[in-house]
Amino acid sequence: MMRDLKNWLRERRAKIAGPLTALYGMLAAVVLVGSAVGQDSGRRFNEYPDTALKGFITAELPKTDIGACRRICQERSGCAGFDHRQQNKACRLFGSVAAAASGAGSFAATRERVPGYRLPSNAVEEATQVGPTQSTWTHNGSVMSLQVTRSADGGSKVKIVYDLPKSELASVGIQHGTTLFEGRLDGSNLTGKARLTGRCGIIQYDVRGLYDARSLASFYLRGPSPKRGNDCTIQSWDSAGPNANLRFDPS
């Protein structure tokens, strides 16, 4: 009688243990898959070399190498991004990212792309698939064409050429297709070289301004422009004249 009872209990335990073992296996698989998905999504940072972030800082870690800084942010679900200063190995973790700015020697990475800032450096595929865009502007009585071409490093190349130059510019060699400006757009910061064309030929000078490709607002490119003498040598630099304050209005 006792032997029959023991056999019955043994068979009962075996029947119960089988489904439980399978259930434990399924739960373990779910946990492992969930963990793998979390780790995979955590690695997909948008990377911004030479960039410092602006936003809500949740932690500042001194003397931390960039690999550890990345791992700490990756492992925290509430970490929206980090930046790391190479010079002093300072790591900052952000609960939210509001903006970014150029910062030499600082590397930043975010889970979501920074709004209004240049493309991440690891978004090569998207950057190369975006074709050039073109818009029309007026400048000092001439119709200009502004061409923007995305580059693989996240910035954009910008070129402004004369489309319909005003008639009096023909005497100094300006015609359809003549370049007025060539430079680079990072976020909304437009920098490059303007070309001053006259009887002495072409001379280039540095200008910069703010330009939003999504806006139709007027914008300026400003920088001291050269003033040449009768012998074509540069005599001085002017910061107040029209060549030092190039204005562009939507056409």
Side-chain angles (χ1 to χ4, degrees):
M1 182 69 178
M2 184 62 68
R3 185 181 297 109
D4 292 341
L5 181 58
K6 289 181 178 179
N7 291 336
W8 181 84
L9 288 173
R10 190 180 298 112
E11 292 173 0
R12 189 65 178 172
R13 289 194 195 102
K15 289 180 180 180
I16 295 174
L20 284 176
T21 301
L23 178 60
Y24 292 150
M26 292 173 61
L27 289 173
V30 170
V31 170
L32 288 173
V33 170
S35 176
V37 170
Q39 291 174 1
D40 183 59
S41 61
R43 283 195 297 268
R44 293 173 184 169
F45 284 109
N46 298 289
E47 299 181 352
Y48 298 96
D50 293 323
T51 296
L53 299 179
K54 298 179 180 180
F56 176 63
I57 300 174
T58 57
E60 296 187 54
L61 309 174
K63 303 298 181 183
T64 305
D65 64 64
I66 190 170
C69 187
R70 177 189 289 268
R71 285 193 300 273
I72 293 169
C73 184
Q74 181 177 319
E75 292 167 359
R76 296 187 181 186
S77 60
C79 183
F82 70 90
D83 63 15
H84 182 270
R85 185 74 176 171
Q86 184 178 3
Q87 185 176 10
N88 57 4
K89 293 187 177 181
C91 169
R92 299 191 302 173
L93 306 181
F94 290 79
S96 61
V97 176
S102 296
S106 181
F107 177 87
T110 59
R111 296 191 188 276
E112 302 292 336
R113 291 189 180 179
V114 181
Y117 195 57
R118 57 181 165 84
L119 280 177
S121 62
N122 54 347
V124 175
E125 181 178 354
E126 178 176 342
T128 55
Q129 288 178 350
V130 177
T133 61
Q134 185 168 315
S135 55
T136 303
W137 302 78
T138 57
H139 163 66
N140 196 24
S142 297
V143 179
M144 315 297 295
S145 175
L146 187 152
Q147 304 161 358
V148 180
T149 305
R150 289 280 180 86
S151 53
D153 62 0
S156 299
K157 296 178 180 179
V158 176
K159 192 174 185 179
I160 302 176
V161 302
Y162 286 90
D163 191 7
L164 294 172
K166 59 183 181 181
S167 57
E168 54 263 42
L169 294 179
S171 61
V172 293
I174 293 177
Q175 57 187 344
H176 170 74
T178 299
T179 298
L180 173 64
F181 169 83
E182 195 164 8
R184 178 180 174 86
L185 181 66
D186 290 299
S188 59
N189 296 309
L190 184 55
T191 58
K193 300 278 188 182
R195 298 183 182 184
L196 182 60
T197 304
R199 63 178 181 83
C200 296
I202 298 173
I203 187 169
Q204 300 187 75
Y205 57 102
D206 294 324
V207 293
R208 62 177 57 243
L210 296 176
Y211 170 70
D212 185 351
R214 299 164 296 182
S215 172
L216 293 178
S218 300
F219 70 97
Y220 284 87
L221 289 173
R222 293 187 167 97
S225 62
K227 299 187 73 173
R228 292 184 281 195
N230 293 331
D231 60 353
C232 292
T233 60
I234 297 176
Q235 303 294 319
S236 61
W237 294 85
D238 174 35
S239 297
N243 291 327
N245 298 275
L246 303 174
R247 175 170 175 160
F248 299 88
D249 299 302
S251 177

